[in-house]
Amino acid sequence: MTATESVTRQLFAEFVVPNYDRYDVVLVRGQGSRVWDEDGKEYLDFGAGIAVSTLGHAHPRIIEALDRQARQLIHTSNLYFTRPQAELARKLVEIVGSPGKVFFSNSGAEANEAVIKLARKFGNECAGSPSGDKPRFEILTFYRSFHGRTMAGISATGQEKVKEGFAPLLAGFNHLPFNDLNAVEKAITGQTVAILVEPVQGEGGIYAASREFLLGLRSICDRHGMLLMLDEIQCGLGRLGNWCGWKEIVGGADFVPDTVSWAKGIGGGFPLGATWVRKRKIQRLAGGTVDLCDLLQPGSHGTTYGGTPLACATSSAVLETIEREGLLANARTQGDYAKRKLAAIPGIKEVRGLGLMLGIELGAELGTLGASGKTPSQAVAIELMRNGLLAVPAGPSVIRWLPPLIVSREEIDQAVLILSKTLAAMVS
Ligand SMILES: Cc1ncc(COP(=O)(O)O)c(C=O)c1O
């Protein structure tokens, strides 16, 4: 039975909103870096649920944490204190390495929504602009960026395709060329309040910010009294071989962001979003000072589910396991190894990225594969899947490899072999 004939496929056609272009496969089981479909076919999962399943599938420590916490307390709402949320917040502040506090939500879009609201509140209520004390609201973001699918998220995103059909968008975003400090300097007006940036752009095709760019953004924000907000939803918490993606880029430089957004890998597959906010004194327009991390007071923002005991206990288990199993080092070692192997495959123009966040730019010979209505990267991803490898397109000509951080050298060798055979067959 193919997926097209399966009951699952029929139920989807009748009952599920068709807003995703799904691959023709019904996945039923996973173990480690592999998943299986309903016909028993095995796949190497180098998409990891789009950079989510950091410990792979069915990791015993995730199962144990879920089981233990589910028996104790799954949900309470944020009307009450719960220990797992407090412990996870402490761990995340420790990971950033600078004083701050954490707000919990359920997804990446929500983690960014929180920083967008924080920037608005900061712009409306706090002094900071050397040009005066008028409210400021504009946030600078970058072309090719992706910040989520809420109205604020698509307004922040620097890609037209996500905005089509949803006008009017949220006002107050200006998109600029990535890695171009001059453009940023020129764009700042008396209304500009913050910069939101992915240290490595993911959905846009895997483009890393340069060290100079990140350091320059910090200095621009300091000079203009603006917030520097990092979207580490895809590149953070280990994927680049470092807890903090930006630290992998700026090295030992003295660099502290004002906010960090996380989601995806934070729960190893269990939904969770988190936003770190820096402890830093700011001046209120109405007089007096407040710490930035205390600006969102009761009634200003919230979510029923954000940071449930179940989500937080699971996330803590994921972060502990990354530490215990040395997975930051593994991400770096296997990522470097994969990069070298991939660069030698004919048909690949360029391999970009850091750690286990790799973008494989397809060569021009694969650029004519769009006849089926699919982009070259979609056509290649479909063929890879047929050959037993799941990978995710990013834009028309890039295939992303985002394997679990537990991936082994043997699994990378196997994936490299599948990719090289697939590309060779497609161009012949
Ligand atoms: C950098 C970045 N920001 C935000 C998001 C949105 O996250 P979510 O899909 O969990 O809402 C994504 C998702 O791909 C992302 O890669």
Side-chain angles (χ1 to χ4, degrees):
M1 181 174 58
T2 68
T4 319
E5 296 154 359
S6 81
V7 176
T8 308
R9 184 66 191 235
Q10 286 163 20
L11 290 172
F12 263 81
E14 199 169 349
F15 299 115
V16 180
V17 170
N19 60 317
Y20 299 107
D21 190 10
R22 293 176 198 266
Y23 292 91
D24 194 13
V25 62
V26 179
L27 297 176
V28 293
R29 185 167 72 83
Q31 182 68 54
S33 302
R34 290 163 204 274
V35 288
W36 284 264
D37 71 15
E38 61 182 355
D39 299 321
K41 182 173 166 170
E42 179 181 308
Y43 304 83
L44 261 179
D45 185 4
F46 271 39
I50 323 186
V52 167
S53 310
T54 35
L55 302 186
H57 300 278
H59 194 289
R61 293 198 62 82
I62 295 192
I63 296 169
E64 193 269 327
L66 279 167
D67 182 65
R68 184 172 21 90
Q69 189 59 46
R71 286 170 197 279
Q72 201 169 330
L73 189 63
I74 291 179
H75 172 78
T76 60
S77 87
N78 283 298
L79 294 177
Y80 310 100
F81 295 107
T82 56
R83 189 63 178 260
Q85 188 176 125
E87 297 287 359
L88 180 60
R90 177 168 64 180
K91 178 69 192 167
L92 291 170
V93 171
E94 188 187 303
I95 277 174
V96 174
S98 188
K101 292 183 180 173
V102 181
F103 165 78
F104 290 100
S105 52
N106 310 285
S107 66
E110 284 176 82
N112 279 341
E113 182 77 21
V115 301
I116 291 165
K117 282 183 72 177
L118 180 85
R120 283 283 175 95
K121 205 157 182 58
F122 173 73
N124 277 310
E125 295 182 4
C126 302
S129 161
S131 63
D133 56 5
K134 284 200 212 70
R136 299 176 293 161
F137 60 89
E138 190 179 72
I139 299 175
L140 305 179
T141 70
F142 298 93
Y143 295 131
R144 285 192 315 241
S145 62
F146 184 78
H147 298 296
R149 295 278 188 172
T150 56
M151 285 305 293
I154 61 172
S155 305
T157 293
Q159 300 187 50
E160 282 313 306
K161 64 179 185 197
V162 308
K163 304 173 197 256
E164 276 161 25
F166 296 110
L169 298 173
L170 187 67
F173 291 94
N174 188 6
H175 309 307
L176 304 170
F178 191 58
N179 274 335
D180 183 344
L181 286 173
N182 269 339
V184 177
E185 290 274 12
K186 279 197 210 132
I188 291 170
T189 69
Q191 296 179 328
T192 317
V193 73
I195 297 175
L196 175 62
V197 61
E198 293 161 86
V200 179
Q201 294 184 322
E203 300 302 303
I206 312 291
Y207 291 92
S210 68
R211 183 174 190 273
E212 296 65 38
F213 187 59
L214 286 188
L215 294 177
L217 291 182
R218 181 65 275 175
S219 131
I220 288 173
C221 285
D222 288 342
R223 267 186 284 124
H224 293 273
M226 290 160 41
L227 302 182
L228 180 56
M229 313 195 297
L230 300 185
D231 180 342
E232 292 240 329
I233 286 160
Q234 191 159 151
C235 72
L237 296 178
R239 183 141 295 279
L240 304 190
N242 199 318
W243 282 125
C244 303
W246 76 89
K247 292 187 186 173
E248 197 60 18
I249 295 172
V250 303
D254 184 16
F255 177 101
V256 183
D258 294 303
T259 72
V260 183
S261 311
W262 295 291
K264 289 196 181 279
I266 192 172
F270 198 90
L272 181 66
T275 307
W276 173 87
V277 186
R278 185 179 180 184
K279 183 173 167 64
R280 160 191 158 189
K281 280 269 175 278
I282 47 177
Q283 201 75 34
R284 278 193 187 280
L285 286 175
T289 61
V290 61
D291 279 327
L292 183 65
C293 59
D294 292 330
L295 194 58
L296 292 177
Q297 286 286 314
S300 61
H301 193 49
T303 158
T304 302
Y305 278 129
T308 65
L310 189 59
C312 291
T314 308
S315 173
S316 287
V318 169
L319 302 181
E320 257 171 53
T321 308
I322 290 177
E323 227 154 41
R324 202 176 288 192
E325 297 188 1
L327 298 182
L328 298 181
N330 193 57
R332 201 175 295 174
T333 311
Q334 305 307 346
D336 288 349
Y337 177 69
K339 227 172 161 177
R340 284 200 305 279
K341 299 284 274 190
L342 286 167
I345 299 179
I348 291 177
K349 188 172 153 202
E350 190 186 13
V351 184
R352 294 189 291 270
L354 296 161
L356 290 174
M357 186 171 179
L358 297 175
I360 303 161
E361 176 93 45
L362 302 169
E365 57 275 39
L366 289 155
T368 51
L369 291 169
S372 56
K374 302 282 179 199
T375 63
S377 58
Q378 286 168 335
V380 169
I382 290 169
E383 280 313 302
L384 288 175
M385 189 188 81
R386 289 204 180 111
N387 295 330
L389 175 65
L390 302 186
V392 191
S397 58
V398 178
I399 289 284
R400 257 178 303 173
W401 273 15
L402 308 158
L405 307 189
I406 55 163
V407 74
S408 68
R409 176 171 285 226
E410 293 68 39
E411 287 164 339
I412 290 188
D413 284 337
Q414 194 188 341
V416 165
L417 193 64
I418 295 174
L419 180 63
S420 58
K421 281 189 176 165
T422 303
L423 293 184
M426 288 178 84
V427 289
S428 63

